[in-house]
Amino acid sequence: MRLVLLIGGLLLLGGAGVAAEVPFLGDYDAELRDGEHVDADLMVQRLSELGANTYMWLIWHSPNDWDDLHEFLPLAEKAGITVWVYLVPHSETTLQNPSWPYSEPFKLDYVRWAQEIAKLSLEHENLVGYVIDDFWGNVRPDRFSPEYIREMVEAGKALNPKLKFYPLMYYRQFGVEFVQKLAPIIDGAVAAYPRDRAAIERALSFLNDAYTTPASATLAFPPGTRSKPGDQGFVSQMATVRDPERAALTFRYQDDFDGPTEGYHFMQLRVDDGVVWEEDVAGRDDAEATVNLAEATAGKQQVKLSFGVFDKKDVGQFGVRATFSDLKMQGLEMHDSDLGNAEAWEQDGEGQFTVEFTSKYAGQGKFHLPLIVMIAGSRREYEHRWNEEATPERIAAKVQMALDLLAEGKVQGVVTYCLNKAEGSEDFDAVAAAFRE
């Protein structure tokens, strides 16, 4: 007997067989093993007890993972569980750390991976797609260029047109550049660790081409790159002081790092190279600032205003993107205060910082890409992301937040990251209750 449940206009089918249109409920990684192999029978049992209809199968921990997948797929198919192959990018291999393995057996040949996954999906209908971890940080000319991504995706679809490719993204990585580079190529996205509903809604605005972005300047430091104290990236422009007693600037600032690591990158506003405002990129930064410049402009007819990022300490790997927008001024006058106009601003920096200028833009609704929300099911990951104690209740509350959007038909699925699937896990029971409710 097959259970049919309508969620937000999508069909959820349980029992034998897997439907093509299904809201995904499931988990990723933290597989249960018997020695060097995944215990496929136990995995299917626990996923069924979780109330999951989806599992994202990471190929990384063991050279046997690809072979073990072949054993898992028919068992999962009988249980009504769809499967996504989950690969690691260049930055999570021996290229980055000698102790890290590759996804075996095809390593960094992602075109071959797409082809082999497609072949396997023709044998097992429940294999619906593949995901590549930390994708955006590897979108660069020597790794995942738009041309290579397209070649990879097309190689898989040539064998199975239904095969899906979803990159793993983080919520602050959705923006105009994502739309320009990836939206025309991918089939959807998995996005990890939303802080709140607003973060998901913002991502959806880009995935549905319904976003509005202000003119902005972004200072970016690349991942996988060492910085040194004094590295910096700034945009500057001269301003005429009309009324120093009333001189003030208002602007929006945000960055794409939500973690607790602090003391390295600092967003700054400078007047004549003196710091008048700064904010550590640690934690969540997406707000408006108003800075009184009366003291900094007193007795001056002109000043140099600079927005940017300054490194106070060296760090081995800490990529970040900091954006300034919506500049308004009082008591001051600029030739052109549009932060999206590259011709109006002088660029200055040391180290590996780059500057990107973005014009104001509104989406046209030309595409609609589905989103699968990934919630931190691992206590360690939960605490790392949110800097608070992880409890079954808190993990389940995050899951429920995403399930609410699923019920509204706004997202395609919800999966947990590395949920503890051992017998007796309180976290497992809490998520299972949320899934079944």
Side-chain angles (χ1 to χ4, degrees), residues 90 138-148 181:
H90 307 70
N138 289 271
V139 175
R140 48 192 253 193
D142 60 335
R143 294 185 178 180
F144 290 113
S145 66
E147 295 77 17
Y148 185 83
K181 288 185 176 181

Side-chain angles (χ1 to χ4, degrees), residues 286-430:
D286 187 356
E288 183 178 85
T290 297
V291 184
N292 188 319
L293 301 182
E295 183 176 346
T297 59
K300 299 179 180 180
Q301 294 183 336
Q302 281 196 321
V303 292
K304 183 174 78 169
L305 301 178
S306 305
F307 294 91
V309 180
F310 180 79
D311 283 357
K312 295 190 178 182
K313 295 192 294 185
D314 66 299
V315 61
Q317 179 172 310
F318 194 160
V320 71
R321 295 172 57 84
T323 298
F324 298 90
S325 62
D326 292 333
L327 175 61
K328 303 178 183 67
M329 58 187 62
Q330 184 174 314
L332 300 165
E333 184 178 309
M334 274 184 175
H335 170 68
D336 187 345
S337 62
D338 182 355
L339 277 163
N341 183 5
E343 295 181 359
W345 296 86
E346 179 183 349
Q347 301 178 36
D348 182 30
E350 295 182 22
Q352 299 300 311
F353 277 95
T354 58
V355 182
E356 301 168 14
F357 294 94
T358 303
S359 300
K360 183 178 180 180
Y361 184 81
Q364 305 297 311
K366 294 181 179 179
F367 56 83
H368 299 279
L369 296 172
L371 173 67
I372 298 175
V373 179
M374 180 177 281
I375 301 294
S378 152
R379 291 196 179 192
R380 178 179 178 181
E381 192 64 34
Y382 183 99
E383 292 174 357
H384 169 68
R385 295 292 170 179
W386 310 126
N387 200 29
E388 66 177 12
E389 181 184 0
T391 65
E393 294 76 18
R394 284 174 173 167
I395 292 172
K398 290 279 189 183
V399 170
Q400 188 60 58
M401 172 188 67
L403 289 174
D404 291 343
L405 285 159
L406 179 63
E408 296 168 21
K410 293 186 175 181
V411 303
Q412 188 183 33
V414 181
V415 298
T416 49
Y417 169 92
C418 293
L419 183 67
N420 182 353
K421 289 177 278 296
E423 193 71 38
S425 165
E426 293 181 355
D427 301 339
F428 181 96
D429 293 340

Side-chain angles (χ1 to χ4, degrees), residues 176-219:
V176 175
E177 190 179 7
F178 162 83
V179 170
Q180 294 171 341
K181 288 185 176 181
L182 293 189
I185 308 172
I186 63 176
D187 299 298
V190 181
Y193 320 132
R195 177 178 293 275
D196 49 29
R197 182 186 174 108
I200 302 174
E201 296 275 14
R202 179 184 177 278
L204 289 171
S205 73
F206 288 99
L207 288 163
N208 291 319
D209 195 25
Y211 60 95
T212 300
T213 60
S216 63
T218 297
L219 291 303

